[in-house]
Amino acid sequence: MAIYNLDEILDTYGDGYLILEFNHLFISSSIREEVWLLQRTDDDAMVKKIIHEAEEFDIHDAKGDKDFDTYSGGQKAILSCLLIIAVIRNRKINGLKLLLNNVLNSVSDDNRSKLFTKFEGIRSTHNIRLFTDKNDHIQEIL
């Protein structure tokens, strides 16, 4: 399901899933701005946690105010996942279905495994279900 028409994916899956779409990962230009938009407040602790966790993925130059355009595609995909995981934990969100559309394709096998470990942590504590697109079908992963 190589989806390039965002309207179509939102119409089809928007009511049932929180969607991370590779070509539209962020609204703003930095981690700090994304956190502010999602939390509706400055949350320096969350920004620092995301930056710290990014180091586990060998993203050592992550900064709260660094422009997303300076990161590689894989780094952006990882940062978007870390951001969503942080928000789910912070807001104590439960029972969410998360659809990663073309997000995992740009991440190395090693980093994909690390992300799955992070997602497994919120699956068990927050009842989060993770889905991806495979062969033109939505499939649950983990």
Side-chain angles (χ1 to χ4, degrees):
M1 176 167 64
I3 296 177
Y4 299 102
N5 183 346
L6 187 58
D7 290 336
E8 184 178 324
I9 191 171
L10 291 174
D11 288 344
T12 305
Y13 301 107
D15 290 337
Y17 298 86
L18 171 62
I19 302 168
L20 281 183
E21 207 289 318
F22 181 76
N23 294 305
H24 305 280
L25 291 172
F26 304 104
I27 295 171
S28 66
S29 62
S30 71
I31 295 169
R32 187 172 317 284
E33 289 176 359
E34 285 290 317
V35 167
W36 188 89
L37 288 169
L38 292 166
Q39 295 292 101
R40 297 186 199 130
T41 186
D42 289 328
D43 193 338
D44 200 44
M46 182 181 287
V47 172
K48 287 179 182 176
K49 180 158 181 58
I50 293 166
I51 291 168
H52 175 72
E53 288 190 353
E55 291 178 4
E56 297 173 33
F57 294 85
D58 294 325
I59 306 173
H60 299 290
D61 60 343
K63 304 278 186 271
D65 296 311
K66 185 177 176 180
D67 195 297
F68 285 125
D69 289 338
T70 64
Y71 296 102
S72 71
Q75 289 174 325
K76 286 188 250 187
I78 291 166
L79 291 171
S80 69
C81 291
L82 294 176
L83 176 68
I84 289 300
I85 291 168
V87 170
I88 288 169
R89 284 185 175 138
N90 193 29
R91 293 190 141 192
K92 298 174 178 62
I93 296 170
N94 286 289
L96 180 72
K97 293 191 316 188
L98 180 60
L99 173 58
L100 303 178
N101 189 58
N102 297 320
V103 173
L104 299 174
N105 302 346
S106 64
V107 178
S108 71
D109 290 341
D110 184 46
N111 282 336
R112 189 175 306 118
S113 178
K114 290 176 188 176
L115 278 175
F116 285 157
T117 299
K118 298 265 184 209
F119 280 118
E120 177 61 26
I122 62 169
R123 184 195 63 78
S124 60
T125 59
H126 297 281
N127 192 30
I128 304 300
R129 296 173 61 198
L130 190 63
F131 296 82
T132 191
D133 54 308
K134 278 232 180 190
N135 303 323
D136 294 329
H137 299 290
I138 302 298
Q139 292 184 345
E140 189 165 7
I141 51 179
L142 289 180

